Amino acid sequence: QHPMRRLKRDPLERAFLRGYQNGITGKSRDLCPFTHPTTRQSWLNGWREGRGDNWDGLTGTAGLQRLNQLQHV
């Protein structure tokens, strides 16, 4: 039996992942597309996380692997 997989991601989780992708690729936090405070905060949290991984040298394949781990939690 497979554990139930959510078909639709939580919008905040999606915002976090999109922020993460922007952060790890070195894009500016000013590119945050969200205006709703909670969603925006999620995006910025993801961005910060991505920036941290970017500074740790986790760009390229290591960064992608980390992104996959985040997506499959």
Side-chain angles (χ1 to χ4, degrees), residues 15-25 43 46-47 49-51 53 58 63 66-67 70:
F16 180 93
L17 287 167
R18 281 173 58 193
Y20 182 88
Q21 284 166 319
N22 275 272
I24 200 157
T25 51
W43 191 96
W47 183 86
E49 187 85 21
R51 284 306 286 155
D53 285 355
L58 273 183
R66 172 130 162 83
L67 194 58
L70 285 172

Side-chain angles (χ1 to χ4, degrees), residues 6-67:
R6 283 169 303 153
L7 292 178
K8 267 168 73 172
R9 282 196 175 281
D10 178 313
L12 295 180
E13 191 181 357
R14 263 204 308 274
F16 180 93
L17 287 167
R18 281 173 58 193
Y20 182 88
Q21 284 166 319
N22 275 272
I24 200 157
T25 51
K27 295 193 172 78
S28 166
R29 63 180 290 168
D30 298 334
L31 292 172
C32 178
F34 301 106
T35 49
H36 186 277
T38 314
T39 319
R40 186 175 173 79
Q41 192 55 55
S42 269
W43 191 96
L44 289 169
N45 288 345
W47 183 86
R48 257 198 307 277
E49 187 85 21
R51 284 306 286 155
D53 285 355
N54 179 298
W55 286 322
D56 290 342
L58 273 183
T59 44
T61 48
L64 289 174
Q65 283 170 355
R66 172 130 162 83
L67 194 58

